[in-house]
Amino acid sequence: FFFFFTNSYQEATTYTYSTTMATFILADDDNDEGGASSMPQSQFAFSQIDPDQSQYLDAPRASEKVKLDALNPTARNQVVTDLSRILLFKALSGSVIDRTKVVPEALGDNFKKERVQMAVLNEAETRLQNVFGFRVRRVPLKMEEDLPVRFKNRLYLINEVADDADGTHSLNIHSSHTDSTVEKGVLMMVLAFAFCKGSSQVRSGQMKGAGKKTRWISEFHLYSLMHRVDENIPSEPPSVEGKKKSRHSIGGSGRKSMSPDDRDGGVGETPDIDILLERFVQLDYLLRDKIEEGDGSSFAGEDGKVVAYAMGPRAAMEVGRKQVINFCSEVLDEQPDPTMLAEVDEDEEMEESEEEEEVE
């Protein structure tokens, strides 16, 4: 499960992609010699770093709490129970949670006009925390400022229960089968490539860079790097028509992205990267935007722009930028890049100061 990252990070790194990409992070982009097949496959135990700071729910107004408490006890409990279930089921299914949709759904026609939305949401969070250890969080402040308006209403369930080094708690409550492990490994690989090979220069796009220090990697560069990790992954992104199929069809883009059966009993299939990237975008793990390349990329479309990917708010909250930086450094057996860590610290300090100003 994707938000399984929060407390059991090692499981996400057992897939071969996470152990073989070190060659390509430092290698020259034009050097295609020495593929991943020459590297021994192994498992690593990585450090666990706290993810990016997320925003708490807004506190309800006193008048909302009074109105909620004034409801019939049975009806009040039913509304809170319904919202708790909706939040939990959507989170466990990996669905995106939109506050403007889930709260009215729980209130129903009878209570939509009662103006108790935030009070009910806070009560539901308290119940989820007490029973399952989940907290309801919002997009990190610095990311929210530069994202489209729809992200202001996004809600995410974060597992904050203290866990042991093996992630036993997370393993007990989340799925840990081969497919989910492969997906985690691919996501981690994409995030790592974006940080190590992406560019943080401010470029035009709908998301305005999703923060000035966000690193974007063009889809052509990303596919090229992934192809060098696994030759069964296409070296170029799908066509416009192929992308439409990935978004609207269960069968994906129709491109072959599968390796022969593994005779040694390991992972026998290369995942469909087209489908996974689309899924990561839909679930807010990745951001996707059309941006202008500063070097006048030959892959740009008629509008002079290229499609690029960057870390999304959900990945920031469940994995975190520092975790990705440390992940790359440990794969490469080097110290974390102090410049990258300083960028994250700067953003966090700015968020803390802004929150303190709001309280004052």
Side-chain angles (χ1 to χ4, degrees), residues 323-343:
Q323 181 69 84
V324 174
I325 295 170
N326 279 270
F327 168 78
C328 293
S329 70
E330 290 172 349
V331 168
L332 299 171
D333 194 23
E334 297 180 352
Q335 292 298 313
D337 188 320
T339 303
M340 291 183 175
L341 292 176
E343 290 176 1

Side-chain angles (χ1 to χ4, degrees), residues 8-60:
S8 183
Y9 174 77
Q10 301 100 308
E11 180 68 16
T13 62
T14 59
Y15 189 44
T16 300
Y17 287 0
S18 301
T19 66
T20 61
M21 72 178 187
T23 300
F24 309 102
I25 291 177
L26 291 183
D28 185 90
D29 290 347
D30 297 327
N31 179 19
D32 289 325
E33 296 180 1
S37 59
S38 63
M39 296 185 64
Q41 298 183 13
S42 58
Q43 295 186 9
F44 293 101
F46 293 95
S47 61
Q48 297 190 42
I49 311 299
D50 290 337
D52 290 31
Q53 298 178 5
S54 54
Q55 296 187 78
Y56 291 87
L57 292 177
D58 292 332

Side-chain angles (χ1 to χ4, degrees), residues 1-12 48 51 84-97 128 132-137 155-161 163 167 169-176 180-181 183-184 187 279-280 283-285 313-320:
F1 242 121
F2 286 103
F3 61 87
F4 166 87
F5 270 123
T6 306
N7 282 324
S8 183
Y9 174 77
Q10 301 100 308
E11 180 68 16
Q48 297 190 42
S84 301
R85 287 174 176 170
I86 293 172
L87 292 172
L88 184 62
F89 292 161
K90 282 188 172 293
L92 293 177
S93 66
S95 303
V96 170
I97 303 175
L128 289 171
F132 300 102
F134 291 143
R135 298 299 299 268
V136 182
R137 291 288 184 263
L155 300 176
Y156 307 91
L157 258 63
I158 301 298
N159 181 3
E160 293 190 344
V161 173
D163 211 341
H169 168 72
S170 293
L171 285 169
N172 286 336
I173 63 175
H174 300 310
S175 172
S176 182
S180 67
T181 303
E183 289 184 352
K184 297 179 184 75
L187 177 60
R279 175 175 171 80
F280 295 154
L283 298 181
D284 296 344
Y285 284 103
R314 196 167 187 171
M317 297 166 63
E318 297 177 9
V319 182

Side-chain angles (χ1 to χ4, degrees), residues 20 29 50 71 85 119 124 135 153 159 164 220 222 225 311-312 347 351:
T20 61
D29 290 347
D50 290 337
L71 294 179
R85 287 174 176 170
R135 298 299 299 268
N153 294 315
N159 181 3
D164 57 29
F220 288 93
L222 178 60
L225 289 169
M311 174 180 281
D347 277 351
E351 286 189 16

Side-chain angles (χ1 to χ4, degrees), residues 80-129:
V80 174
T81 299
D82 288 346
L83 182 54
S84 301
R85 287 174 176 170
I86 293 172
L87 292 172
L88 184 62
F89 292 161
K90 282 188 172 293
L92 293 177
S93 66
S95 303
V96 170
I97 303 175
D98 186 326
R99 178 180 59 83
T100 62
K101 295 180 180 179
V102 295
V103 176
E105 180 182 347
L107 290 174
D109 295 334
N110 294 332
F111 302 105
K112 282 183 179 179
K113 299 180 180 179
E114 293 294 336
R115 297 183 181 277
V116 294
Q117 285 83 353
M118 287 309 302
V120 172
L121 184 56
N122 276 262
E123 286 287 332
E125 184 201 21
T126 299
R127 183 170 297 183
L128 289 171
Q129 181 185 9

Side-chain angles (χ1 to χ4, degrees), residues 199-216:
S199 172
S200 61
Q201 64 186 33
V202 180
R203 294 172 289 186
S204 62
Q206 179 189 8
M207 300 180 188
K208 305 301 181 185
K212 295 181 179 180
K213 301 296 177 63
T214 299
R215 286 174 166 76
W216 291 87

